[in-house]
Amino acid sequence: MDLIDSFGRVVRDLRISVTDRCNFRCTYCMPEEGMTWIDRSEVLTYEEIERVARICVERFSVDGIRLTGGEPTVRAHLPILIRKLAALRMPNGSKPDIALTTNGSTLRNVAQELRDAGLDRINVSLDSLQRDRFLALTRRDELDNVLQGINEAQAAGFSPVKVNAVVERGANDDEILDLARYARDNNLEMRFIEFMPLDASNEWERNKVVTQDEIVNTIAAEFPLTPVDQRGAAPAQRWAYNDGKGTVGVIPSVSHPFCADCDRVRLTSDGQFRTCLFATDEFDIRALLRNGGTDDDIAELIRNAVGAKWAGHQIN
């Protein structure tokens, strides 16, 4: 049975935050100090995560699972969870696509293990190629480790490795071409992300957003581009380089929202079900998991949550 919201959108993608903890302190995401982490007893176990994912995959034909954080690789024994998720099967017998978004700082040590566990795809965040700027943006001196992690991911067989860069005006927008060139030269797929209001210190401003049109025009002036066919429910609009050296994408959450085609739902690390990254309402799956709720109860909560999904986010 498909999971369909009141606007006719079919849910196919489950984003799972495996931890709220992170070893970076990116300026657009969290304050440098003073974070209060969720108590470990409140974080879902791998068995609890697998149970929710299994219900979504087996009952609702969810065919994509992406692991996020915080930084997912800081959670111990992550390959165990990946193996559990990779063993799931949809009603038609096919395996869901298992992906991971990481800051890449420890990827050099775990890329092969993640691949062997059943991880299909990987996205690595990289907002600057300049060491001093990388340090200023992430508050961690880890650029060399991230670049090495990208290389190790390719060596482990992930292809293509996607590289994500959040573009903020006045912070790193002068590196758009450098990042595009780095990806072209290293057989990577670059994804630029418009600056979104995710910061814990409420410093987001609309004028800091470098729009999709600006990003594409900057790249096309150096490397001519041709639009790729419609993205469907994918968050990135893509362009192909006219010289055949791959593609580049932009996730334009602010200037060109893709809410009308959104097929994603989210499970937080403490077991709250959310239908949008910017949702203000949450649905407590953890309470059902830990108080005798049946699979039918959990499936009903998911259906009710999706039925209440917004038409779109409220940015701006």
Side-chain angles (χ1 to χ4, degrees), residues 57-74:
V57 170
E58 292 182 355
R59 297 200 180 201
F60 302 126
S61 295
V62 165
D63 58 14
I65 298 173
R66 177 171 293 276
L67 303 180
T68 68
E71 168 50 40
T73 63
V74 304

Side-chain angles (χ1 to χ4, degrees), residues 23-36:
N23 51 356
F24 282 12
R25 296 292 182 271
C26 296
T27 54
Y28 53 77
C29 185
M30 61 176 64
E32 185 171 7
E33 302 292 345
M35 286 293 296
T36 300

Side-chain angles (χ1 to χ4, degrees), residues 163 165 167 176 179-180 190-194 215 219 248-251:
V163 177
V167 183
I176 291 172
L179 287 162
M190 196 70 214
R191 292 288 183 270
F192 294 99
I193 303 174
E194 290 183 347
I215 293 169
I219 297 170
V248 63
V250 182
I251 299 177

Side-chain angles (χ1 to χ4, degrees), residues 46-117:
Y46 286 166
E47 289 74 20
E48 290 169 332
I49 291 173
E50 187 273 342
R51 185 180 177 195
V52 176
R54 176 176 53 78
I55 291 168
C56 290
V57 170
E58 292 182 355
R59 297 200 180 201
F60 302 126
S61 295
V62 165
D63 58 14
I65 298 173
R66 177 171 293 276
L67 303 180
T68 68
E71 168 50 40
T73 63
V74 304
R75 182 154 179 186
H77 310 299
L78 184 62
I80 292 175
L81 175 62
I82 292 173
R83 287 191 187 93
K84 290 178 180 292
L85 299 178
L88 299 176
R89 293 295 181 268
M90 292 182 287
N92 64 7
S94 59
K95 169 187 171 296
D97 180 76
I98 312 298
L100 175 79
T101 297
T102 174
N103 63 31
S105 60
T106 64
L107 193 54
R108 67 196 187 281
N109 300 320
V110 298
Q112 189 64 60
E113 189 177 5
L114 296 175
R115 183 69 173 171
D116 292 344

Side-chain angles (χ1 to χ4, degrees), residues 3 12 245 310:
L3 191 57
R12 293 293 186 219
K245 293 192 70 172
W310 297 352

